[in-house]
Amino acid sequence: MKEVPLANALALVSGLVSLICAVGVWLARDAFVGLFGEIFHGIDMTALPIKEVTIGGIITGLIVVVISAWVLGYIFASLYNKLAR
């Protein structure tokens, strides 16, 4: 398994999911808050403080998600290659 292509793919998919999520929260906050509550086994997400969605916040979050996903993808592929021997 090649580390860089896997890391690139994971970063791209994670970035797209993050962007879709951010736009969804921006356009339909209540629906997404309810959905996240269901994903996290009924936790009342409405009890959490609400922060205003900003373009700067979306971009910062996107950068963090993409970089984190790339690093984790690279580590995953490297470990897989070592353990598969």
Side-chain angles (χ1 to χ4, degrees):
M1 180 180 303
K2 295 181 180 179
E3 291 91 350
V4 173
L6 185 122
N8 289 345
L10 184 59
L12 179 61
V13 169
S14 298
L16 288 173
V17 169
S18 179
L19 190 57
I20 290 167
C21 182
V23 170
V25 169
W26 191 22
L27 297 176
R29 179 187 305 268
D30 291 340
F32 269 77
V33 168
L35 176 65
F36 291 140
E38 296 304 323
I39 290 171
F40 294 108
H41 312 295
I43 292 174
D44 183 8
M45 302 299 273
T46 60
L48 298 174
I50 301 294
K51 185 177 173 185
E52 202 58 40
V53 178
T54 65
I55 297 297
I58 291 172
I59 291 169
T60 301
L62 188 60
I63 290 168
V64 170
V65 164
V66 168
I67 290 171
S68 299
W70 194 94
V71 170
L72 289 173
Y74 190 91
I75 292 169
F76 175 86
S78 294
L79 288 173
Y80 176 87
N81 290 336
K82 287 181 178 151
L83 295 171
R85 292 181 192 166

